[in-house]
Amino acid sequence: MEKINMANPFSGEIRFDEPMARHTSFRVGGPADCWVRPGGEFPAYAPRLLAEARREDIPVFILGGGANLLVGDRGIRGIVLDTGRWAGFSPENSRENGGECIVRVCSGSSVDEITAAAAEKSLGGLEFLAGMPGSVGGAVWMNARCYEKEVADVLVETEFLDESLEHRVLGRHPGDFSYKKSPFQGAFTLILSAKFRLRPRLQEEILREMAEHRLDREDKGHYRHPSAGSAFKNNRSFGRSTGKIIDELGLRGLQVGGAAVAPYHGNIIINNGGAKAEDIRRLIDLVREKVKNTLGFDLEPEIIFAGEWP
Ligand SMILES: Cc1cc2nc3c(=O)[nH]c(=O)nc-3n(C[C@H](O)[C@H](O)[C@H](O)COP(=O)(O)OP(=O)(O)OC[C@H]3O[C@@H](n4cnc5c(N)ncnc54)[C@H](O)[C@@H]3O)c2cc1C
């Protein structure tokens, strides 16, 4: 790892054997061999780091807000490239005649913070994301969705490095995105920025809608314990939400070690204090097994498993 020639000057942070529990919303995960969080030099630094890592055959994992991840207790081999300080929001065109406004957002920006920044400028479109943990890059990669809307609904364009580390820009074409799927999954991608189409809206209406979503999340217990949000995807062919299916089988409160199905929400698995990643993974498997054996449904985890597993 020491062979990698880090860009100079470098305003970010680099740590070795960095516990990933510090960087995931589950608060679990073993050490990353090397964790790097560049600052404003990110767009120049990241391609060099990736190219040098590739030359040395060192794997690189891209980290957003860590809000949809379960990192194994053995941690992550190679480099974790944390996008968290590559943040910012810039309107690209003015809104003459009261028309729409395109804004470009750096991928490491917190989703919740950009919804607030848009509201400050009386721009509507991102309200549905208020209160959702994670980064813009992660939300685009996951095509995050809530309150009947998904990121692809407001996405205009994504700037990214592809598997060959070529710089590319992808417009949003119908069919590229679907339920919790984006064209960036399945092959190495580093999302650098995203453009969203926003529309002028009365600021008080924007703020009211955002407050309603935040309150709803609080009522549903989203912030009560460390978790990664929904553990499993919904599947329309099952006729009801995954949360309802898990409730029907009386699985709320089911525990493995320090992990539990939240007593207040069937589709949230929580770290009840002191959970290991292995506890959470075994609980996910147990819930899947019980649902499969009783109803014949195959639940698909929404959580991404990262790092080394026994
Ligand atoms: C309390 C709570 C509530 C939640 N509610 C919702 C919800 O309502 N709807 C929903 O969809 N999700 C929800 N989630 C899950 C999570 O917030 C989203 O999936 C979010 O979009 C993940 O973004 P992230 O930046 O944290 O991604 P991470 O967890 O860091 O990463 C997820 C995946 O994206 C990849 N990735 C991240 N950034 C980049 C990048 N810049 N370039 C390339 N790849 C990248 C990672 O490599 C990884 O494979 C919730 C989570 C929590 C904890």
Side-chain angles (χ1 to χ4, degrees):
M1 206 78 54
E2 287 75 9
K3 282 189 197 157
I4 287 188
N5 177 18
M6 303 295 184
N8 201 12
F10 178 72
S11 68
E13 296 152 271
I14 300 179
R15 289 186 216 142
F16 295 91
D17 293 325
E18 170 72 358
M20 288 302 293
R22 289 189 188 149
H23 303 283
T24 62
S25 56
F26 256 135
R27 298 282 167 250
V28 301
D33 289 339
C34 176
W35 167 88
V36 186
R37 181 157 60 188
E41 68 278 5
F42 189 95
Y45 178 85
R48 288 175 56 187
L49 176 74
L50 293 171
E52 293 213 29
R54 197 161 284 186
R55 261 195 298 280
E56 298 293 338
D57 217 9
I58 298 171
V60 179
F61 180 80
I62 309 297
L63 178 68
N68 208 41
L69 287 183
L70 181 60
V71 177
D73 298 310
R74 295 179 179 177
I76 301 184
R77 301 292 68 79
I79 297 172
V80 170
L81 177 58
D82 187 326
T83 58
R85 281 183 58 197
W86 176 230
F89 170 103
S90 55
E92 289 244 313
N93 62 358
S94 65
R95 4 172 205 163
E96 285 149 25
N97 309 319
E100 66 191 24
C101 179
I102 307 293
V103 297
R104 177 174 175 268
V105 187
C106 300
S107 58
S109 312
S110 132
V111 165
D112 194 45
E113 278 171 27
I114 63 140
T115 62
E120 209 168 281
K121 295 192 179 313
S122 300
L123 290 170
L126 297 174
E127 297 86 334
F128 69 107
L129 292 169
M132 194 187 82
S135 69
V136 167
V140 172
W141 195 92
M142 294 292 304
N143 190 20
R145 64 174 290 129
C146 37
Y147 304 107
E148 306 301 321
K149 289 193 183 124
E150 59 185 24
V151 166
D153 294 339
V154 283
L155 185 67
V156 179
E157 197 173 275
T158 311
E159 180 197 8
F160 64 103
L161 297 181
D162 68 10
E163 214 174 358
S164 320
L165 307 185
E166 293 293 324
H167 186 268
R168 289 181 56 193
V169 174
L170 183 78
R172 169 170 146 40
H173 302 294
D176 285 349
F177 290 79
S178 56
Y179 174 74
K180 300 277 162 108
K181 287 257 182 276
S182 79
F184 307 108
Q185 298 168 8
F188 177 87
T189 313
L190 170 60
I191 297 170
L192 295 168
S193 71
K195 284 186 189 173
F196 297 112
R197 178 176 285 115
L198 306 183
R199 292 199 165 75
R201 189 180 179 199
L202 273 181
Q203 194 176 53
E204 62 185 70
E205 286 179 15
I206 297 176
L207 292 174
R208 191 181 331 115
E209 189 179 331
M210 285 168 55
E212 279 167 15
H213 294 328
R214 289 204 175 102
L215 197 64
D216 183 57
R217 285 179 183 275
E218 273 170 34
D219 287 347
K220 288 181 177 152
H222 281 202
Y223 312 122
R224 246 177 264 173
H225 291 91
S227 80
S230 298
F232 301 100
K233 293 185 183 176
N234 287 311
N235 184 328
R236 269 178 206 200
S237 67
F238 299 161
R240 56 245 195 245
S241 72
T242 301
K244 283 220 171 73
I245 292 171
I246 294 170
D247 288 354
E248 261 171 45
L249 301 188
L251 301 179
R252 281 195 193 188
L254 183 69
Q255 291 199 27
V256 172
V261 176
Y264 42 83
H265 196 305
N267 199 15
I268 296 183
I269 287 185
I270 57 172
N271 176 353
N272 226 348
K276 295 204 170 309
E278 189 58 30
D279 298 338
I280 296 172
R281 187 151 191 168
R282 279 175 46 218
L283 182 57
I284 289 172
D285 289 344
L286 186 62
V287 171
R288 289 182 82 184
E289 195 185 299
K290 284 183 184 284
V291 171
K292 177 74 178 171
N293 291 344
T294 320
L295 300 169
F297 298 152
D298 268 320
L299 293 185
E300 187 187 348
E302 181 168 326
I303 292 169
I304 310 276
F305 300 99
E308 258 191 4
W309 290 87

